Amino acid sequence: RHRASTAFVAITNVPAMSATAQDSMNKLHGPLKLHNLTTYSWNVFRYVGDYLHLAGVVVLLTTIARNKSVAGISRGTQMLYFLVFVTRYLDLFDHSQTAYLVFFKFTYILTSAVVLLLFHQLDATYERRHDTCNLAVIIVPCITAAVLLTSEYSMLEVLWTFSEFVEGFAMVPQYIFCYREHGNKVWGTSLYVIALGGYRVFYALNWIYKKVQMPHYSDMQSWIGGVIEIAFFIDFLNFRFTGNSMLRSMVLTVDTKINEISDKVELKVLGSSSALRAETASGEVRRRRKTEDAAVALEDV
């Protein structure tokens, strides 16, 4: 997301940037076009998008801390965002950058790691039955797309391209979670999803603004991911506020089929499946609850 801005900062700090990195960016954009791209990248749409994203992270952490629970939140989405940040922001170790970029990049990496730690600590509150998205179905195609569509075959560029594709699907597990958890009306989770969706909408406006100002501007990897995420976001808003959805039935059907295939493969290869293990664990929980209820009833007698 901050590639052009980072590149310009690096060029203005030439001693801190390797000759290879300078040559790479010049080949991609040319010195003059890169300067113009960076100038137009710092616009109001980009700033609003950044702060909406940050607000969403704050809402997420506040909701978890207040409820002492991760109920209503998809761990799959949090894992994908962590993957996005650690693959996209490797340029932190490549060259010097503005304090603004460093702050946001480190904040996103650290907070995503904290959220995953909270999932571990609050595992008893995690609603696995709703978080059914198979992450491999997202990650593997994104790896393939990144290798085929990268602008340059360097580690940083391939990983950056991979992160752009993954981000386009990062909220899908959360949307599937919400589609399955139809009756839940936790506003903390909804505000988080709305803030993240709003951030992508404003980044789309940022791309449109740059395209208008510079007709030669192109960032197909970001555009593809952005269009996918905005489509899901609009459908989520419709589902959240009206109860209607154009994508829910299709998404849940595909998700169920994928999990059925995955379970069959696991059962054949490993002799067990995630669904069977979850069912066994669920049955054990129910048996424990019945035992506890019986003990309470005897104490009352």
Side-chain angles (χ1 to χ4, degrees):
R1 183 168 72 246
H2 302 302
R3 180 173 56 169
S5 305
T6 301
F8 178 66
V9 172
I11 285 176
T12 58
N13 294 278
V14 174
M17 186 181 185
S18 67
T20 302
Q22 292 179 53
D23 291 343
S24 171
M25 294 311 299
N26 286 339
K27 287 177 182 177
L28 284 173
H29 304 287
L32 179 58
K33 288 183 178 180
L34 179 59
H35 182 277
N36 292 336
L37 175 62
T38 305
T39 300
Y40 290 119
S41 292
W42 297 96
N43 57 70
V44 65
F45 304 115
R46 182 252 179 82
Y47 283 118
V48 173
D50 283 344
Y51 286 108
L52 275 174
H53 192 175
L54 184 61
V57 172
V58 171
V59 167
L60 176 65
L61 291 172
T62 302
T63 300
I64 294 174
R66 185 184 60 192
N67 298 336
K68 293 182 175 57
S69 168
V70 293
I73 302 167
S74 166
R75 183 170 62 184
T77 282
Q78 302 310 315
M79 292 174 67
L80 289 178
Y81 267 120
F82 179 73
L83 184 61
V84 166
F85 299 142
V86 296
T87 54
R88 179 177 300 173
Y89 297 147
L90 290 174
D91 59 358
L92 282 167
F93 307 101
D94 184 58
H95 49 260
S96 60
Q97 301 174 32
T98 64
Y100 179 92
L101 293 177
V102 172
F103 167 76
F104 274 94
K105 291 179 180 184
F106 272 120
T107 296
Y108 293 149
I109 293 173
L110 292 175
T111 53
S112 61
V114 168
V115 171
L116 291 178
L117 178 61
L118 289 172
F119 264 92
H120 177 71
Q121 294 178 340
L122 301 171
D123 185 68
T125 66
Y126 172 46
E127 299 173 307
R128 288 177 175 80
R129 67 187 183 280
H130 298 313
D131 202 9
T132 58
C133 183
N134 189 320
L135 299 188
V137 175
I138 293 175
I139 294 172
V140 173
C142 287
I143 292 174
T144 304
V147 172
L148 295 176
L149 300 176
T150 185
S151 299
E152 177 192 344
Y153 284 99
S154 66
M155 184 182 72
L156 288 181
E157 189 66 24
V158 171
L159 290 176
W160 181 89
T161 304
F162 169 73
S163 76
E164 286 294 311
F165 285 124
V166 172
E167 188 174 19
F169 295 94
M171 288 297 292
V172 171
Q174 183 65 58
Y175 293 136
I176 291 175
F177 193 112
C178 293
Y179 289 150
R180 293 195 182 281
E181 194 187 34
H182 184 58
N184 189 286
K185 298 294 182 181
V186 178
W187 275 100
T189 304
S190 295
L191 286 175
Y192 165 70
V193 176
I194 290 171
L196 268 291
Y199 133 69
R200 292 301 277 178
V201 169
F202 274 93
Y203 256 81
L205 295 174
N206 161 57
W207 299 327
I208 293 171
Y209 172 79
K210 287 193 286 188
K211 186 66 176 177
V212 170
Q213 297 295 329
M214 299 178 299
H216 67 273
Y217 164 67
S218 178
D219 191 358
M220 191 58 64
Q221 299 95 328
S222 298
W223 297 348
I224 293 172
V227 167
I228 292 169
E229 191 163 357
I230 289 172
F232 274 103
F233 175 57
I234 293 173
D235 187 73
F236 168 79
L237 290 179
N238 188 37
F239 175 71
R240 179 64 179 81
F241 293 107
T242 70
N244 300 315
S245 170
M246 295 179 64
L247 298 178
R248 181 174 182 268
S249 179
M250 178 193 71
V251 169
L252 293 185
T253 299
V254 171
D255 181 59
T256 299
K257 290 295 182 183
I258 289 173
N259 282 296
E260 287 176 356
I261 295 171
S262 176
D263 288 337
K264 288 179 181 178
V265 172
E266 284 186 41
L267 192 60
K268 190 170 184 178
V269 175
L270 304 176
S272 180
S273 69
S274 56
L276 187 60
R277 291 191 294 271
E279 185 177 344
T280 303
S282 178
E284 180 63 28
V285 169
R286 286 195 295 270
R287 284 193 294 272
R288 287 178 183 174
R289 286 177 180 172
K290 288 180 180 178
T291 303
E292 290 171 0
D293 291 343
V296 171
L298 287 173
E299 289 177 4
D300 290 340
V301 171

